[in-house]
């Protein structure tokens, strides 16, 4: 276990680039992370979670992500939501033209993208060329955690580094919307109320 400082970022970078897993803080809850372009790392991530249902894992990126590398063509709706809510607790499902592991795109060519409002994590993300696949640091079906005192030993048995940033102020997972059809569709309401998203996009009933 390491404090959330520069040395922890370097340690996480080394582990992630070696196909390992790390537990790290976000602006919402603690997450367990793996490199998105590593099949080995994704195997380890799903094994750590005890997760076999194929539910896609979100990808975290730094500010000003390389959309072309993700296979995503930004549009006006994405740009408006990004300006209003990123960095922040909003995950947006977007169409991708790139081939990804089915555990990331759900077999539907959809990626869940988020830019977290956590400076320590944003710095780490900027150090890594590939996206990070990040899911909550709990066993599948158990509550999300904002305090490492609730971290499961069964999960940490698969993890090489745990980064301790204390009790996280967020505690509520990100809101997830599907923007793949142009109109926002609520998948999960979390830290950001859906009506705020509709307001930004000026959605009319």
């Amino acid at each position: 276990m390491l404090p959330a400082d520069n040395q922890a970022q370097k340690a996480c970078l080394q582990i992630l680039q070696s196909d390992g897993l790390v537990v790290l803080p976000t602006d919402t809850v603690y997450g367990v992370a793996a490199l998105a372009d590593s099949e080995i790392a994704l195997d380890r991530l799903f094994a750590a979670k005890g997760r076999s249902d194929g539910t896609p894992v979100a990808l975290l990126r730094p500010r000003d992500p390389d959309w072309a590398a993700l296979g995503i063509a930004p549009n006006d709706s994405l740009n408006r939501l990004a300006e209003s809510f990123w960095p922040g607790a909003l995950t947006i499902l977007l169409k991708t033209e790139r081939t990804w592991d089915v555990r990331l795109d759900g077999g539907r060519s959809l990626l869940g993208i988020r830019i977290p409002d956590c400076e320590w994590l944003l710095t780490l993300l900027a150090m890594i060329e590939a996206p990070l696949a990040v899911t909550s640091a709990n066993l599948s079906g158990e509550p999300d955690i904002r305090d490492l005192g609730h971290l499961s030993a069964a999960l940490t048995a698969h993890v090489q580094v745990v980064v301790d940033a204390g009790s996280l102020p967020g505690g509520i997972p990100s809101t997830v919307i599907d923007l793949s059809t142009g109109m926002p569709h609520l998948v999960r309401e979390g830290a950001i109320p859906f009506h705020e998203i509709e307001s930004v996009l000026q959605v009319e009933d």
Side-chain angles (χ1 to χ4, degrees), residues 28-52:
T28 56
V29 297
Y30 276 94
V32 55
L35 279 190
D37 60 359
S38 167
E39 183 177 353
I40 294 172
L42 292 176
D43 288 344
R44 290 172 174 170
L45 180 63
F46 274 70
K49 288 277 293 184
R51 181 168 164 175
S52 60

Side-chain angles (χ1 to χ4, degrees), residues 185-198:
H185 169 70
L186 180 65
V187 177
R188 179 185 73 193
E189 187 154 28
I192 298 173
F194 187 54
H195 68 82
E196 293 185 12
I197 294 165
E198 292 180 308

